[in-house]
Amino acid sequence: SRITLPNTITSIGECSFLGCSSLTSITLPSNLTTLSNKILYSCTSLTSITIPNKKKKIGENAFYNCSSLKSVTIPNSVTSIGSQAFYNCDNITSLIIGNKVETIGSNAFYDCDNLTSVTIPDSVTSICDGAFYDCDGLTSVVIGNGVTSIGSYAFKDCGYLASVTMGSGVTSIAYEAFRNCDRLTSVVIPDSVTSIGDYAFYDCDGLTSVVIGDSVTSIGDYAFYSCSSLTSVEIPDSVTTIGSSAFYY
């Protein structure tokens, strides 16, 4: 079924279309500024969505488990993507993030298994915990220069991730951020980074080389544990602490 909403509508409450499992298409009013929490939660037949340019926020769980959704373009008007906004949208193959987005919420794209590449624009300052956790098909990530923190589990269990480019603004890589990224072969940690969290690259067993930027002061416990293919590591003079079993394998 399809729904077209008139442009006279300026507000739609939470959970308005929750569980509409036969809904395949919806045209949203152009005057909406917020996509409310759970607005299209578990609309499992929804194949596409056009987010009008006036939207500023995508709410928590807005498209949770919209498992037929194939492509998402987040317009330049949007400044935040809520927690679990596209959780388990496992058929998304194309994602374009607009250049005004500042925050990607926790678990925002968790388990989007068919997503193959992500470019995070310079406007983003924070990639929250688990943002791209368990995106099995993800092979390439480019992180913009505005990002300062990569949250815990942000790219954990992205088993096919082979390439990560970190921007020049990243200061911290949190707990288990890239754990179990088996296909990752090399990592260059920029000079802006000061800390590498516990378990950050744990069990990245395809990793052969690591270059650590010259502002890093601490390498956390088990940070590169079980990276059994690692043959080259450059540790700068700035490092004062190397945690327990940091390079153990």
Side-chain angles (χ1 to χ4, degrees), residues 100-124:
K100 292 292 192 298
V101 172
E102 297 171 2
T103 303
I104 300 174
S106 59
N107 298 312
F109 296 94
Y110 183 105
D111 200 27
C112 291
D113 288 342
N114 282 302
L115 190 61
T116 58
S117 67
V118 173
T119 297
I120 296 170
D122 291 345
S123 58
V124 173

Side-chain angles (χ1 to χ4, degrees), residues 84-175:
Q84 299 186 340
F86 295 91
Y87 188 108
N88 198 36
C89 293
D90 56 6
N91 272 308
I92 292 177
T93 58
S94 172
L95 172 63
I96 298 172
I97 300 174
N99 60 21
K100 292 292 192 298
V101 172
E102 297 171 2
T103 303
I104 300 174
S106 59
N107 298 312
F109 296 94
Y110 183 105
D111 200 27
C112 291
D113 288 342
N114 282 302
L115 190 61
T116 58
S117 67
V118 173
T119 297
I120 296 170
D122 291 345
S123 58
V124 173
T125 59
S126 178
I127 303 172
C128 293
D129 296 350
F132 295 91
Y133 190 149
D134 200 27
C135 290
D136 290 341
L138 196 60
T139 61
S140 172
V141 172
V142 176
I143 297 172
N145 292 327
V147 173
T148 58
S149 62
I150 301 173
S152 298
Y153 323 108
F155 298 94
K156 181 181 176 180
D157 287 347
C158 293
Y160 284 87
L161 186 60
S163 172
V164 174
T165 302
M166 296 186 203
S168 60
V170 176
T171 60
S172 63
I173 301 170
Y175 179 86

Side-chain angles (χ1 to χ4, degrees), residues 4 9 29 39 44 60 75 95 109 131 152 154 173 188 215 222 226 240:
T4 299
I9 294 174
I39 187 172
T44 54
E60 295 178 5
L95 172 63
F109 296 94
S152 298
I173 301 170
V188 176
S215 295
Y222 301 92
S226 195
T240 58

